[in-house]
Amino acid sequence: MSDRDFSNTLLKIKVPMLILDQKWHRLFALGGKPEEVKKLEANENDLLKREAELKQELKDLKKVKENLMASVMSNMEGTSDLVSKKLDDDKRLLEECKERIEANEDELKDIPNNIEEVNRELMLATMDYCYDKLRTNSAEAEEITSWIKDVRVQLKKNVIRKHNREINNKEIYSYMHDVFGMEVLNIFDMQGGEFYIGIADDKPNPDDSKDKPEATNDLSNIDLEDVDLDAVAKEEKENTVEEASESEETSERLPSEKATD
């Protein structure tokens, strides 16, 4: 649709008085009104105030006109100089009153069109602001969605790594038990530092009261879709190889260091 067709279509639409609508003001609750909107709002307010002033003034002028006409009619038959002067003054004031009424009525005829025009410009400025805000919010929402997706994938990968560490702990301790026996392990457990066999999230917290509900931090039920399990396994294998390589290098250096000593 061309700009001309678009404008013609808008002209056929009755736009409500925006500045009198509380929901219109709420459109700018977060970001505040831009300068163009503030300027148009002020213009429309001035027009509405002027319209109210003219209507009140017209009401008062018509009352004055009625009183002057009644005074003129009552003094038409008078012959004294005082009555004649009063009649002339009333006639003059009556003409001035008629002229002011006519001028106010002419101005009043134009005000509704002016208000409608400013109100339509205010609508267009509002639409520009709102659609720009919608586009900005959408772009930011997409960025946040991408960030959330990336964090979710990293979380799932770490869940797998966490389970691997727990399984590896169980295997190590089980093999140690088979090789050395429980009596030996009990001795070394006292000197081996703090470690945990099982699911780390199930480890009791001495600060927890019996009255507190059980913790539900186990991440084992997290859905693992969209995670490349092969890639995670490969990465885990590479890390294990690196750790083993570093361990071998350390072992090779130890004899020479002892010899030096």
Side-chain angles (χ1 to χ4, degrees), residues 47 58 62 69 74-75 90 94 100 109 124 126 130 143 158 167-168 193 237 249:
L47 287 170
L58 266 177
K62 288 179 179 179
M69 290 182 66
S74 63
N75 293 320
D90 287 345
L94 183 60
R100 290 184 60 184
K109 290 178 183 178
L124 295 175
T126 301
C130 289
E143 292 178 3
N158 284 330
I167 292 171
N168 190 235
K237 185 176 180 180
E249 291 178 0

Side-chain angles (χ1 to χ4, degrees), residues 19-58:
I19 64 174
L20 302 181
D21 190 336
Q22 189 61 33
K23 290 182 179 180
W24 175 80
H25 291 279
R26 290 292 301 167
L27 289 173
F28 309 94
L30 292 179
K33 296 172 183 174
E35 290 302 320
E36 183 180 4
V37 170
K38 289 181 180 179
K39 181 179 179 180
L40 290 170
E41 180 185 11
N43 290 343
E44 190 164 340
N45 264 319
D46 291 341
L47 287 170
L48 288 173
K49 290 178 181 178
R50 180 57 180 163
E51 184 180 42
E53 290 173 358
L54 287 171
K55 287 181 177 179
Q56 183 60 47
E57 190 174 340
L58 266 177

Side-chain angles (χ1 to χ4, degrees), residues 211-227:
D211 298 333
K212 292 183 179 179
E214 295 183 359
T216 57
N217 296 326
D218 188 6
L219 301 177
S220 58
N221 293 326
I222 291 182
D223 192 6
L224 299 177
E225 81 281 358
D226 299 331
V227 175

